Amino acid sequence: MAEYRFDEHELHGQLVIQARKMSDNSTHLKNLIADESRLASFSVNGGGLFFDYSRQRMDKAGMQLLFELAEASGARNRFARMAAGEKVNITENRAVLHMAARSFADVPIMLDGRDARAELMAVLDKIRTFTNAVHSGEVNGSDGQKFKHVVVVGIGGSYLGTEFVARALEAFADRDIQLDFLANVDIHNFGAIWTRIDPQRTLWIIISKSYTTAETMANEDLIRRYMIDCGLDPAKHIVTVTSKGSPGDQGGGREIAAFHMFDFIGGRYSVTSAVGGVPLSLYLGYDRFERFLKGAEMMDRHAINAPAEQNLPLIAALLTVWNTSFLGYPQGAIIPYASPLSKLAPHVQQLNMESNGKSVDATGRFLAEPAGTVIFGEPGTNAQHSFFQLAHQGKPFPVEFIGVLNPQYRMDEGCCKGVGHQQELWANLLAQATALAMGRENDDPAKYFSGNRPSSILVIEDLEPESVGRLLAFYEAKTVYEAFIWGINPFDQFGVELGKVTAGTLRKAMAVHNDNPADNFSGLDPINRRYLQMLSSGKLID
Ligand SMILES: O=P(O)(O)OC[C@H]1O[C@](O)(CO)[C@@H](O)[C@@H]1O
């Protein structure tokens, strides 16, 4: 069989023609959605979610072409091989087994002669035992009292997913533990946390797969020094989550407990491993973390087994590829109408943009056009009062709206204009999707709305731990499916390296200057030299 190449495939050419057709006025969304059967044909229910793509700029013939593209790309097959432990991360020769971390069916996943699933389940057991010991007070702070503050120290994939889930399930956080995140090397991040915690009752979880990440290492160093200054033994306040054999995987009593992550789970896919497991179990209780895992598992099963025409993450991925590569929208927004999902967009931003922001396909050949989509988002209705002017009348971008049927809080809302808060929220969500699609004629150009602006609505029944797990797994599967359709490898991230290496050069120049202030950053280029001179003097220089 000929190798699949996204931009050389004959279906690519047919989709280019289809995209021209969808630019014709007769295919304006206001005409497409006038069809009574539109929602029935362009929506799907599965994996515990409902996905409505009736307001996407697409017709049945186009969807048929997209499904053929999915078939030609072998995306579903590749997804199933990934789940079974095949080394689909070809540039790093690694398996990709984040789904094994929540696979409760007792089926081994053999990898290089060992059962990867059993290793993950053993870590899960250890998390349960440890968090129960912290909650009971058996493992406690320096003053013998229970830990009250937990601070996650990690960046990128070692933090964003956990922050998303923690915020989403904050309403369930009844363990009397405050959770903070120390990600940035910016001293404001540490300073703000240090001033509000009680160091004696604080547990720091250092999370780094590589245990070489500059920000995390600098923060760990600072924490240890501050604790020693307070007369505390850091070993009694630190827990680590790192990969086997990393520089942080030393044992030797430098921490209370150490949890392993594995090279077959990438940072941005690691929320359901010990990366999310340790802090989320401490914050929410282990049982809730397990319920979250089971929700993710439900969506995984759907993503693996559902036929293409019923497969939510696959359809959502096809539409992103369609919008990005054929209709030419370089960006897309995620707008959840639920404040607990306020950190979903930042998490998916990293998950998706670090995975799919690639210029080469999986065969190492440059793509005709780089892959990936710029992702941003804010909860609605706040977003409406922020950047929706541009969404309606400026440069268009596709929107993924998320609606929740049953909120976490049941309050006596009373009625304002005849409706409660939850109804008001939904009225706004539906209004935005409708207005973006329909537009509005007006003789005054300033008040004219072109419409024909695409959106989807993803509906969840509630924000219980299982539902949040489904949502997380939906976005992971969608990201991977997009990559497989583009024909790229979503599991490496060489693009983040150059900046890190360049920071090393600047760091070195600063260290030389610290040792010898007479050295005026001589080895640097003139632009960067000027900045470091301003930084060391604390003054603006012309
Ligand atoms: O867990 P680590 O090794 O500290 O890496 C943190 C993050 O940095 C990145 O490498 C990006 O810079 C991510 O992929 C990763 O999640």
Side-chain angles (χ1 to χ4, degrees):
M1 204 172 82
E3 202 147 32
Y4 168 79
R5 289 189 163 175
F6 171 70
D7 42 29
E8 287 176 6
H9 200 278
E10 62 174 294
L11 283 162
H12 186 279
Q14 292 179 43
L15 281 157
V16 170
I17 295 167
Q18 172 72 16
R20 269 185 228 128
K21 182 176 135 196
M22 297 311 292
S23 300
D24 189 283
N25 197 39
S26 65
T27 59
H28 189 292
L29 274 171
K30 69 184 171 202
N31 298 320
L32 295 182
I33 61 181
D35 174 0
E36 288 281 332
S37 66
R38 177 82 182 170
L39 183 62
S41 309
F42 290 82
S43 64
V44 55
N45 198 343
L49 303 176
F50 175 78
F51 183 60
D52 160 18
Y53 55 104
S54 61
R55 295 185 184 93
Q56 288 289 342
R57 291 177 54 204
M58 189 39 107
D59 63 8
K60 284 186 180 164
M63 274 321 289
Q64 187 51 40
L65 285 176
L66 285 181
F67 287 128
E68 285 173 31
L69 184 71
E71 180 67 24
S73 70
R76 285 188 64 233
N77 188 275
R78 219 169 138 197
F79 199 90
R81 287 190 278 125
M82 170 180 86
E86 192 175 309
K87 294 189 175 169
V88 293
N89 178 357
I90 41 173
T91 48
E92 297 175 319
N93 192 32
R94 287 177 181 168
V96 177
L97 284 173
H98 51 278
M99 292 191 288
R102 62 246 189 175
S103 177
F104 288 91
D106 195 8
V107 180
I109 300 177
M110 298 312 289
L111 185 64
D112 301 329
R114 61 187 212 268
D115 180 3
R117 187 193 154 274
E119 288 184 2
L120 287 161
M121 290 297 140
V123 175
L124 212 50
D125 261 352
K126 191 171 168 183
I127 294 172
R128 181 199 289 123
T129 309
F130 176 74
T131 50
N132 287 344
V134 171
H135 291 147
S136 70
E138 188 190 324
V139 170
N140 52 43
S142 288
D143 59 358
Q145 293 196 63
K146 286 186 183 179
F147 283 117
K148 195 177 169 48
H149 305 276
V150 169
V151 185
V152 169
V153 186
I155 198 162
S158 288
Y159 131 75
L160 285 161
T162 306
E163 186 183 44
F164 152 54
V165 180
R167 293 294 160 254
L169 297 177
E170 198 171 345
F172 298 89
D174 56 3
R175 304 294 152 130
D176 200 21
I177 280 183
Q178 271 177 22
L179 186 63
D180 276 296
F181 294 91
L182 176 55
N184 207 325
V185 74
D186 178 350
I187 198 66
H188 295 98
N189 200 172
F190 176 78
I193 292 173
W194 187 261
T195 49
R196 71 170 167 261
I197 57 163
D198 172 359
Q200 303 213 62
R201 299 184 67 188
T202 301
L203 183 66
W204 304 84
I205 313 176
I206 318 288
I207 306 182
S208 178
K209 184 173 171 182
S210 61
Y211 229 85
T212 58
T213 302
E215 294 89 335
T216 307
M217 297 301 100
N219 278 329
E220 180 184 0
D221 190 57
L222 192 61
I223 291 158
R224 286 185 184 274
R225 281 193 281 120
Y226 264 69
M227 275 196 278
I228 291 167
D229 285 354
C230 295
L232 300 175
D233 177 2
K236 296 201 170 118
H237 289 261
I238 285 181
V239 166
T240 58
V241 179
T242 189
S243 55
K244 264 190 175 167
S246 84
D249 184 32
Q250 295 173 0
R254 275 170 55 84
E255 65 269 316
I256 310 176
F259 298 87
H260 278 141
M261 51 199 292
F262 301 91
D263 72 355
F264 49 76
I265 300 184
R268 54 194 176 271
Y269 296 89
S270 67
V271 193
T272 53
S273 74
V275 169
V278 177
L280 292 169
S281 298
L282 287 166
Y283 186 52
L284 305 167
Y286 174 82
D287 291 349
R288 292 200 182 98
F289 178 65
E290 194 174 296
R291 285 174 56 198
F292 159 73
L293 295 184
K294 288 189 169 150
E297 183 187 26
M298 182 183 183
M299 177 51 75
D300 292 343
R301 300 269 148 254
H302 171 85
I304 297 167
N305 298 321
E309 293 75 8
Q310 301 295 321
N311 195 312
L312 270 79
L314 176 59
I315 295 172
L318 285 167
L319 289 166
T320 296
V321 172
W322 163 250
N323 281 329
T324 308
S325 297
F326 297 100
L327 293 186
Y329 298 110
Q331 64 290 85
I334 297 175
I335 312 292
Y337 277 67
S339 309
L341 300 180
S342 63
K343 293 291 177 182
L344 174 66
H347 168 58
V348 177
Q349 188 174 62
Q350 194 233 2
L351 167 69
N352 192 286
M353 291 172 74
E354 193 166 281
S355 294
N356 293 347
K358 303 284 165 66
S359 295
V360 288
D361 70 11
T363 68
R365 184 201 62 131
F366 278 109
L367 293 161
E369 237 184 56
T373 313
V374 178
I375 292 174
F376 63 101
E378 275 293 319
T381 64
N382 295 14
Q384 293 171 203
H385 299 273
S386 165
F387 50 80
F388 266 49
Q389 164 64 39
L390 188 141
H392 287 284
Q393 288 187 311
K395 290 222 184 275
F397 53 87
V399 181
E400 259 163 34
F401 293 105
I402 299 175
V404 180
L405 298 179
N406 299 290
Q408 286 172 334
Y409 294 100
R410 286 275 167 207
M411 316 294 284
D412 178 11
E413 298 167 26
C415 264
C416 181
K417 297 184 184 159
V419 296
H421 273 56
Q422 173 71 351
Q423 290 172 314
E424 178 69 26
L425 190 67
W426 268 89
N428 274 276
L429 188 170
L430 296 173
Q432 292 301 321
T434 307
L436 286 167
M438 300 291 290
R440 194 178 64 191
E441 298 291 333
N442 199 300
D443 291 340
D444 178 353
K447 294 178 181 165
Y448 169 80
F449 291 76
S450 63
N452 207 25
R453 293 168 183 244
S455 66
S456 305
I457 304 180
L458 190 61
V459 186
I460 335 177
E461 271 182 17
D462 54 42
L463 288 174
E464 293 288 317
E466 290 85 350
S467 299
V468 175
R470 282 175 207 129
L471 197 58
L472 177 102
F474 167 84
Y475 276 104
E476 288 180 353
K478 175 178 183 279
T479 297
V480 172
Y481 270 133
E482 285 170 16
F484 289 174
I485 296 157
W486 269 314
I488 59 175
N489 176 13
F491 306 116
D492 60 20
Q493 59 282 322
F494 298 115
V496 298
E497 292 310 320
L498 181 57
K500 289 183 187 175
V501 173
T502 311
T505 310
L506 291 156
R507 190 184 300 126
K508 213 163 153 189
M510 293 179 196
V512 168
H513 176 82
N514 289 346
D515 276 350
N516 172 20
D519 177 281
N520 213 3
F521 310 107
S522 49
L524 291 181
D525 66 274
I527 296 176
N528 286 323
R529 191 188 316 138
R530 181 61 64 90
Y531 276 100
L532 296 200
Q533 285 165 353
M534 283 203 273
L535 180 66
S536 76
S537 69
K539 293 200 167 65
L540 304 176
I541 304 173
D542 288 337

